Structures are given as structure tokens and as C-alpha cells.
Amino acid sequence: MENDNSDSRTKRRKIALITGSSSGIGFETSLLLARNGIYTYATMRNLSKSQEILDITKKECLPLKVLTLDVTDEKLIQKAIDMVMHEQNRIDILVNNAGYSLVGALEQISMDEIKEEFETNFFGIIKLIQKVLPQMRKQRSGRIINISSLAGRIGLPLVSAYVSSKFALEGLSESLKYEVQDFGIHVILIEPGVIKTNFIKNLKIGKQVITSENGDGNTSSADLPYAEITQKRISAFKPRFEKGSSPKEVADTILEAVTSDKPEFRYIVGEDASKLMDIRKNTSDEEFGKIVMNSVLEAR
Ligand SMILES: NC(=O)c1ccc[n+]([C@@H]2O[C@H](COP(=O)([O-])OP(=O)(O)OC[C@H]3O[C@@H](n4cnc5c(N)ncnc54)[C@H](OP(=O)(O)O)[C@@H]3O)[C@@H](O)[C@H]2O)c1
């Protein structure tokens, strides 16, 4: 059982580490946890992006410290965890947030690009979890918050590597929660729909991916099998993300997941995600496939 009661009796400050705090969900979550009294290590791979969070921290006198952490670099992961342990001697909350999406038809994205996607969105998370678990077990308490996605529950065209990394994260989380629950550790999945962040700016389009815009115009459509659908999908991204939910909504949900006495295992965030998940429950694979194709290729 989780040892949270003694923590609240002594009013000990909780300690959190978040990955990908330079923008979007990680940025908002780091600030929100700190504003709620949680000592927050906001980590990012590029410290030159830390000015805004540091300015807010200073202005509001928040318990927040910025550390360097690239989730694909095991040495930096170890260094960040060592720093937290040296300063706090415990870790209560790990938010695995860093991630991006690779775009392109499976036939046109390279094995290296797919592996790179998994290094960030999946293997990096495993490395972090393996490093915090011994301490959380010792404490007999802890919360591991994994930022999955609606794309962790349903397949989507042209982002198969991203979807696969999030499905893998769902499977990992669902299995791990059984292993650690008797140590008072909660594993929690956050499943946002479309959120207005830098995600769209940070999309990686596969190097070999040809769209109807970047093709040389001399090649026949038979040689460009995915050009049209890829172009449609890419064109539809921007207007969809413009209308996305706020990253603050995701941060609020994460705060609930880390402070609730009885947290859920899954939290869906955003009306789009809730609606689609409801439809998924009550629709055949064939019908659902039509809905997905209509909705993701439409620029609206
Ligand atoms: N936005 C959405 O619609 C949406 C929906 C569902 C789920 N999500 C998930 O939410 C999470 C956060 O995304 P976001 O929407 O907030 O997008 P974002 O604004 O692009 O933020 C992504 C963060 O991840 C960081 N990152 C990428 N690779 C990294 C690495 N190797 N090591 C450390 N940090 C790294 C980025 O750092 P840099 O600034 O250095 O690039 C950035 O801080 C992701 O896991 C994403 O899959 C997003």
C-alpha cells in the first residue's frame, strides 16, 4: 500500500521529475505542479529553451529547478536522477512526457527513423522507469505518469511508427502496474486528443517521404503511391492543431492524477478524444475505419 498518509501528516513536500519541459504539456505541467507546492525538476534536452520557465519560476518564487535531460542519453538520465537523489533523497512523481511524431507511410520511413522514434517515445521511458523504481519501492510510494495519446488506443494513417510507440507504452504501463502496485506505486496513463502545442512544429517527416508538394512533378502517380494521401494528411494537421485543446487541460489532469488518493489508471483528455473513444467502443472495425479516414484527412 502507498505510504501517502504519513507523508500528509508530516506535510513533506513531494518531489517530481518531468521530461520535455521546454514546451507544451511538459512546460505547463512543470509550472502547475510547482504552483501546487510540489518540488519540480523540469528537465529538457536543450537548456537554451529554459529562459521562460526560469523567468516565471523567479517571478512566482516557485519550487522548480531546471535540469538537462535527453531521454535518449542514458548518462544524462543517470546524472539527473543522481542530482534529485543527492538534493532530495527521494522521488515521488515521474512524468514521462518527452515525445514527437514521425510522419510518413510505413513503406517510406526508414528503420533508423523508426528506431529513433522508439528511442525517444518508448525506450527512453523504460530507462527512466528502471532508474526510479528502486527508490520508489524503498519509499513504498510513487506515481509514474506516462503521456500516451488517443494514438495509443487507435491506429491512424501515416503515423504508424508514432502510434506503435504509444501502443507499446500502453502495453508496458498496463503490465507494469500489476508488478508495482503492492509497493504502493501507481502507473498512470494520460491519453490526450489533439493539443495545441509545438507538437505540429516538431513533427519529423521521413526523409524519403514524397508528398504531392515536394515531388519533382515529372514522376507518374504510379511511382508516387502515397503522395496524395500524405499531402492531404499533412495539410489537415495544421487546422486540426489550431483548434486543439489547451496543454493546461492536460496539466490539470496530470495534477489530479498525482494528487488524487485513488487515481484512475487511464485519463482521457479533450472532447475529441472522449468522443472518438466512445464511438470506438460501439462501432465495428469497418465502420470505425471509415470514420477515422474521413476525420483525419479532412482539413477542418
Ligand atoms: N500535442 C498533441 O496533440 C498530443 C496529443 C497526444 C499526446 N501528446 C504527447 O504529449 C507529449 C508532449 O508533447 P507536446 O504536445 O507538449 O509537444 P511539444 O510542445 O513538441 O513538446 C515535446 C517535448 O518533448 C521534448 N523532447 C523531444 N525529444 C526529446 C528527447 N530526446 N529528450 C528530451 N526531450 C525531448 C521536446 O524538446 P525540444 O523542445 O528540445 O524539442 C519538448 O520539450 C508527447 O509525448 C506527445 O506524444 C501530444
Side-chain angles (χ1 to χ4, degrees):
M1 288 298 291
E2 192 170 23
N3 209 4
D4 269 355
N5 286 343
S6 61
D7 291 346
S8 58
R9 272 200 302 274
T10 53
K11 291 247 182 314
R12 190 189 44 73
R13 199 194 272 284
K14 294 224 183 278
I15 312 298
L17 183 143
I18 304 182
T19 64
S21 302
S22 69
S23 72
I25 295 168
F27 176 87
E28 294 297 342
T29 304
S30 299
L31 288 171
L32 188 67
L33 296 195
R35 283 176 180 135
N36 280 273
I38 295 168
Y39 196 104
T40 302
Y41 288 86
T43 73
M44 58 189 76
R45 59 180 164 175
N46 183 352
L47 283 189
S48 70
K49 296 188 179 178
S50 63
Q51 202 49 54
E52 193 182 351
I53 206 166
L54 287 174
D55 287 347
I56 300 172
T57 297
K58 196 171 167 200
K59 195 169 156 216
E60 297 182 27
C61 293
L62 297 175
L64 185 150
K65 195 165 185 169
V66 171
L67 295 181
T68 318
L69 197 166
D70 182 325
V71 299
T72 64
D73 184 331
E74 197 153 359
K75 280 195 189 125
L76 286 177
I77 295 176
Q78 188 64 57
K79 213 172 150 195
I81 304 278
D82 287 348
M83 173 66 92
V84 176
M85 287 307 296
H86 173 72
E87 292 189 353
Q88 309 290 346
N89 205 24
R90 63 181 294 122
I91 181 158
D92 300 292
I93 300 154
L94 168 66
V95 183
N96 286 309
N97 164 72
Y100 73 93
S101 178
L102 172 64
V103 179
L106 187 73
E107 198 183 326
Q108 296 182 335
I109 51 177
S110 71
M111 213 50 216
D112 282 348
E113 287 170 329
I114 298 168
K115 283 183 182 166
E116 218 179 282
E117 171 88 302
F118 269 75
E119 283 298 335
T120 300
N121 290 13
F122 187 60
F123 294 119
I125 292 178
I126 296 181
K127 286 176 200 152
L128 271 142
I129 292 176
Q130 286 181 334
K131 294 209 188 293
V132 301
L133 273 181
Q135 179 58 29
M136 286 184 173
R137 268 195 304 101
K138 201 167 135 201
Q139 293 166 194
R140 298 196 73 79
S141 72
R143 302 230 171 151
I144 296 170
I145 317 290
N146 292 332
I147 312 302
S148 175
S149 170
L150 175 64
R153 303 290 292 281
I154 64 168
L156 296 165
L158 284 309
V159 284
S160 59
Y162 177 70
V163 166
S164 308
S165 72
K166 295 296 187 185
F167 267 56
L169 182 59
E170 294 264 337
L172 174 119
S173 306
E174 211 168 299
S175 306
L176 178 67
K177 80 171 173 154
Y178 298 117
E179 294 175 13
V180 299
Q181 63 190 8
D182 285 350
F183 302 111
I185 301 168
H186 293 273
V187 179
I188 297 163
L189 280 164
I190 309 290
E191 300 172 332
V194 176
I195 311 293
K196 201 174 167 185
T197 62
N198 283 348
F199 191 73
I200 184 91
K201 200 175 102 198
N202 291 332
L203 290 174
K204 280 194 192 162
I205 298 180
K207 288 195 184 84
Q208 302 303 320
V209 171
I210 299 175
T211 68
S212 42
E213 271 185 5
N214 73 5
D216 64 13
N218 296 322
T219 323
S220 77
S221 61
D223 294 326
L224 299 173
Y226 304 102
E228 197 185 330
I229 187 180
T230 308
Q231 187 56 52
K232 264 194 179 172
R233 181 88 165 101
I234 291 173
S235 306
F237 275 137
K238 211 170 169 212
R240 289 175 74 77
F241 276 79
E242 290 292 315
K243 290 186 194 143
S245 312
S246 159
K248 289 196 171 91
E249 219 178 293
V250 188
D252 285 340
T253 306
I254 295 171
L255 179 67
E256 189 188 325
V258 300
T259 53
S260 163
D261 286 343
K262 287 202 172 116
E264 308 283 335
F265 171 57
R266 281 194 168 90
Y267 291 86
I268 296 172
V269 191
E271 215 179 299
D272 58 335
S274 308
K275 263 193 199 159
L276 216 50
M277 287 308 300
D278 277 349
I279 297 172
R280 174 66 283 201
K281 275 185 213 147
N282 305 309
T283 320
S284 69
D285 285 345
E286 198 186 343
E287 273 308 303
F288 192 69
K290 286 181 198 155
I291 294 167
V292 167
M293 281 306 269
N294 283 337
S295 88
V296 298
L297 297 179
E298 232 175 71
R300 50 180 166 174

